[in-house]
Amino acid sequence: MKISRLKLKHQILLIFLFSVFIFTIMEFYSFYSFYNLTQKRAVNYGNTIIEQTRQKIDSVFNDIKVSTNIAVDNKWVQEFTIADDDYKRGFEIGTYVIDLIEYMRFFNSYLNGIVITDNQGRRISSLATANGDITYSNQYIHFIDSYKNESETVGKRQFTNLLKDEKTGNEYFFYIAPIIEAIGGVQFSKQTGYLSVMVNMEKIQDLVENTELTPNSALYILNSRNEVIASNHTKFHSNLFKEILSIDSQSLTNGVKTKINGEEVIVQAKGLRQADEWRIVSMIPVHELTTDMNAIKNISIIAGIGIIVSMMILGYFFLNNLTRPVIGLVSDMKKIGNRDRGFRVKVRSTNEVGVLAYEINNMIDTMEEMTSNIVNTQARLYEAELSKKQAEFSALQSQINPHFLYNTLNCISSIGLEYGSKEIAQITSSMSKIFRYSIEKSELVLISEEMQCIKAYLNIISIRYENKFSLEVKVDDKLLGMKTPKMILQPIVENSVYHGLESMDAGGQLCVSGHMDENGELCFQVVDTGKGIGPDELERIKTNLHMEYSERVKNSLEGRNIGLSNINNRIKLLFGEDYGVEIESELGVGTTVTVKIPFIGSS
């Protein structure tokens, strides 16, 4: 059922109900948008915190790698792993090596210990007394044996998994690098030992200890086996939740909302650059992000309910005070419509509806007074209409016809010659030729006539710009007797002058040429060395020239075809889609417009 068929009070009621519905939707949408915006900002903030923490840890790991590289590339360290003389190893080389690794540990607080071991199991170390036992634990020895024997790890530098000291129960991890002999001995380029750097986990823990996004948010550093190396929540120092580890890593980088132990959280993760497959993971409870929104939500709900109730009260008041007088007005108008001439509309209120009723009564009185004069008035209007038509006819007759304008141009040319103004005579004579050519009734004209029009126009341009440009017409004589659509080259030449050459101080060239191609088709080219056309504008012009037939018809009906598009459409309408206009241009070089039409004989 159409809304327009409903009664006015029903339409107004429908409008109010629709307004309430739209308002409610907007209220929910605003809250939802603000809710998402809050979460998005939290994700961005979390991303910033993760990035800062990652840079700190990467910096620490890079320092460890640099120190380790210095040690394993040291000549004395390499010689220590291959020397057979125990005395030499213990007193000559060993003293220097101990000083070196002690110096490394002293100046890098993130190193708890350094152990150098050769292939025979002989070692030299610099260890913090509280952390040295781990290098003798079964877990450490087992890992080192695997590292030495597995072909995949030979020559590879890596961070270890978490290793546990059986005595203290403390967990540690190491950075291990092979020692490759490079001093020219019998084991040249072979692995002669390895260097183990014990990382100070307390220092790593300090990097994330005080990093907190929200009261219950968590930040984790995970190794390649997803073991928690450090966290600002010590109660989670174990393998992280499987729900997080199963999420796609790319999604974790951008932030993912998921449920952990029944609680909605936003999880983000970023990999460390200095440790393969290590990453930093943050978890932020969603409810903590929106805690500050509870007050806003409550205020919005209260305000929304208040506005809806107010709208309903106003709607009722509006319906009662508007529709009742209108319904009475409609009832009275029906009686008047039934030609109850003595009846008048009752004025039921003093508002606009009452004013309308009063004015309707005045209108009825006026109409009855005017009834007696209708015939005379119609007669006068009829006479006035005749006078108007006669005036319009006279105005049409007084318009200047083309022949009068053509004769006037010839008259101006004669006056110019009489007073010795050759330029005026030449311009008016050329204009006369162009105008006479343009009013030619035939759509197809001789090419020689088209060329005469072009030469007349170029003559005007030469006088106008005082021969500032080089103008040339080169058309094969055998083409002059053929036919072409009228006025297809002059607008193109005009475009070349005003859009290409006019802004140049001097030296510009314009050439109009015509020839028959290898397929027997006629090709005209208008080439200028003007400022050219930019790539974007050129692409737009080409798009207009190659648009579909239906679009060309639509643009033609709407009056959008001008210039090249107009000429192109005329040619395609006359001869088909194989013919038309093409354009090429380059800024600072110039523009070339090519017009292609079929061969048309003169007979």
Side-chain angles (χ1 to χ4, degrees):
M1 181 174 63
K2 293 183 178 180
I3 295 178
S4 59
R5 295 181 181 179
L6 296 175
K7 292 183 178 181
L8 178 61
K9 63 178 181 179
H10 293 156
Q11 293 187 30
I12 295 175
L13 179 62
L14 186 62
I15 291 173
F16 272 97
L17 291 176
F18 182 76
S19 300
V20 170
F21 175 77
I22 292 298
F23 177 81
T24 304
I25 294 298
M26 291 178 64
E27 185 80 8
F28 280 108
Y29 177 77
S30 299
F31 180 80
Y32 180 77
S33 299
F34 190 71
Y35 182 88
N36 285 343
L37 179 61
T38 302
Q39 292 192 31
K40 184 177 180 180
R41 288 181 176 177
V43 169
N44 292 337
Y45 178 67
N47 186 61
T48 301
I49 296 298
I50 291 177
E51 182 61 30
Q52 292 174 354
T53 306
R54 180 173 74 167
Q55 290 178 2
K56 293 177 183 177
I57 296 173
D58 277 336
S59 177
V60 170
F61 283 4
N62 184 63
D63 290 343
I64 293 173
K65 288 183 176 181
V66 170
S67 299
T68 303
N69 291 340
I70 292 174
V72 298
D73 292 336
N74 185 272
K75 172 185 176 182
W76 297 105
V77 171
Q78 294 180 15
E79 189 168 342
F80 175 83
T81 60
I82 62 175
D84 295 325
D85 187 340
D86 291 338
Y87 179 84
K88 184 177 181 180
R89 292 178 77 256
F91 293 97
E92 295 182 14
I93 303 173
T95 302
Y96 178 85
V97 173
I98 288 177
D99 290 341
L100 173 65
I101 59 179
E102 285 283 351
Y103 177 85
M104 289 171 57
R105 191 170 65 83
F106 179 80
F107 282 97
N108 192 334
S109 61
Y110 288 93
L111 303 182
N112 261 350
I114 303 174
V115 180
I116 297 175
T117 307
D118 63 13
N119 290 339
Q120 286 74 41
R122 296 173 299 181
R123 67 167 62 181
I124 189 169
S125 62
S126 172
L127 301 170
T129 56
N131 303 302
D133 291 345
I134 182 65
T135 60
Y136 296 97
S137 70
N138 292 329
Q139 269 199 332
Y140 176 80
I141 295 172
H142 176 72
F143 183 88
I144 293 300
D145 290 338
S146 299
Y147 176 80
K148 290 192 299 182
N149 298 326
E150 290 182 7
S151 59
E152 294 181 356
T153 61
V154 174
K156 182 179 179 181
R157 303 178 182 187
Q158 66 181 63
F159 286 96
T160 70
N161 305 325
L162 282 178
L163 304 176
K164 191 172 184 178
D165 189 344
E166 293 89 344
K167 294 182 179 179
T168 64
N170 295 328
E171 293 179 329
Y172 303 91
F173 72 96
F174 295 77
Y175 179 69
I176 299 181
I179 301 173
I180 307 298
E181 199 264 302
I183 57 178
V186 294
Q187 299 186 52
F188 180 73
S189 296
K190 294 182 180 180
Q191 179 174 321
T192 59
Y194 52 89
L195 184 146
S196 301
V197 174
M198 182 189 300
V199 181
N200 189 337
M201 290 188 64
E202 293 179 359
K203 289 286 186 178
I204 300 297
Q205 177 68 24
D206 289 341
L207 293 177
V208 298
E209 187 68 43
N210 299 320
T211 302
E212 191 172 74
L213 304 176
T214 62
N216 293 304
S217 63
L219 192 69
Y220 304 92
I221 300 176
L222 306 181
N223 63 13
S224 58
R225 295 181 61 182
N226 293 318
E227 297 171 320
V228 178
I229 302 300
S231 171
N232 60 351
H233 276 61
T234 55
K235 63 180 179 179
F236 293 120
H237 269 231
S238 60
N239 279 358
L240 202 59
F241 305 105
K242 294 181 179 180
E243 292 91 333
I244 294 177
L245 302 180
S246 63
I247 299 174
D248 176 63
S249 59
Q250 183 62 38
S251 300
L252 284 175
T253 301
N254 299 323
V256 174
K257 184 190 292 185
T258 184
K259 279 191 175 182
I260 304 296
N261 294 337
E263 181 182 20
E264 269 196 336
V265 295
I266 293 178
V267 183
Q268 286 180 276
K270 279 194 174 183
L272 294 176
R273 296 187 179 93
Q274 297 296 329
D276 293 340
E277 298 182 5
W278 286 46
R279 52 183 170 170
I280 300 177
V281 178
S282 71
M283 291 195 306
I284 309 173
V286 173
H287 71 88
E288 292 186 0
L289 298 176
T290 57
T291 300
D292 297 335
M293 290 185 59
N294 291 331
I296 298 175
K297 179 179 69 175
N298 295 333
I299 293 173
S300 299
I301 292 174
I302 294 172
I305 293 174
I307 292 174
I308 291 174
V309 172
S310 300
M311 291 178 67
M312 293 177 67
I313 294 173
L314 288 174
Y316 173 79
F317 179 82
F318 187 82
L319 284 171
N320 186 60
N321 288 274
L322 176 63
T323 59
R324 184 175 57 82
V326 171
I327 292 173
L329 180 62
V330 172
S331 177
D332 292 343
M333 291 298 295
K334 286 181 178 179
K335 294 180 180 180
I336 296 174
N338 293 330
R339 298 187 178 183
D340 188 354
R341 297 184 61 185
F343 184 80
R344 293 293 183 269
V345 176
K346 295 179 182 179
V347 180
R348 296 177 174 84
S349 62
T350 57
N351 57 18
E352 286 80 0
V353 178
V355 173
L356 178 60
Y358 180 81
E359 293 298 330
I360 288 175
N361 290 335
N362 288 339
M363 182 186 67
I364 293 172
D365 294 336
T366 303
M367 288 177 63
E368 288 181 353
E369 291 176 3
M370 293 176 62
T371 301
S372 60
N373 299 322
I374 289 177
V375 176
N376 292 333
T377 302
Q378 288 179 339
R380 288 196 297 271
L381 290 173
Y382 180 73
E383 292 174 357
E385 186 68 16
L386 287 177
S387 299
K388 180 181 177 181
K389 294 296 183 182
Q390 184 64 35
E392 290 177 352
F393 181 75
S394 299
L396 288 172
Q397 284 184 325
S398 64
Q399 291 180 351
I400 299 175
N401 59 54
H403 294 286
F404 175 76
L405 181 58
Y406 169 69
N407 292 332
T408 302
L409 290 173
N410 285 334
C411 181
I412 294 173
S413 176
S414 299
I415 293 173
L417 289 174
E418 182 176 350
Y419 284 90
S421 179
K422 295 182 180 180
E423 290 80 2
I424 293 177
Q426 291 177 3
I427 289 176
T428 52
S429 176
S430 298
M431 286 180 62
S432 174
K433 292 177 182 178
I434 295 173
F435 189 74
R436 185 174 185 180
Y437 174 67
S438 67
I439 62 175
E440 179 74 31
K441 293 182 179 180
S442 177
E443 175 66 19
L444 296 177
V445 298
L446 293 176
I447 293 179
S448 59
E449 295 175 331
E450 182 78 3
M451 292 301 107
Q452 290 174 3
C453 175
I454 296 299
K455 291 177 180 178
Y457 177 73
L458 293 179
N459 187 34
I460 295 173
I461 294 303
S462 297
I463 297 172
R464 165 67 177 84
Y465 293 100
E466 299 177 348
N467 294 314
K468 185 169 67 172
F469 316 124
S470 172
L471 307 173
E472 185 179 11
V473 177
K474 297 189 300 183
V475 178
D476 293 346
D477 292 340
K478 62 182 179 180
L479 302 182
L480 298 179
M482 301 177 185
K483 287 192 174 183
T484 179
K486 181 179 63 179
M487 295 293 286
I488 62 169
L489 297 180
Q490 190 276 334
I492 299 175
V493 174
E494 186 174 350
N495 281 344
S496 297
V497 173
Y498 288 107
H499 298 297
L501 298 173
E502 187 177 36
S503 60
M504 299 180 65
D505 294 333
Q509 297 180 358
L510 173 66
C511 179
V512 181
S513 63
H515 65 278
M516 184 178 295
D517 64 11
E518 63 274 7
N519 298 322
E521 312 287 357
L522 299 185
C523 289
F524 296 101
Q525 281 192 328
V526 179
V527 181
D528 68 74
T529 59
K531 65 179 183 180
I533 304 172
D536 293 340
E537 179 64 16
L538 181 63
E539 184 63 27
R540 186 190 66 79
I541 295 173
K542 288 186 175 183
T543 301
N544 289 337
L545 293 177
H546 295 92
M547 64 176 55
E548 296 294 332
Y549 174 77
S550 58
E551 286 294 323
R552 292 206 311 272
V553 172
K554 178 181 178 182
N555 288 348
S556 178
L557 293 174
E558 294 177 356
R560 297 181 183 174
N561 284 333
I562 58 174
L564 291 181
S565 296
N566 190 14
I567 297 170
N568 184 60
N569 292 342
R570 283 176 56 201
I571 294 174
K572 289 184 180 297
L573 288 173
L574 283 172
F575 307 120
E577 296 296 322
D578 294 335
Y579 304 96
V581 178
E582 298 290 340
I583 183 171
E584 295 295 335
S585 185
E586 183 178 350
L587 282 176
V589 177
T591 303
T592 299
V593 179
T594 303
V595 179
K596 182 179 179 182
I597 62 173
F599 172 85
I600 307 172
S602 58
S603 57

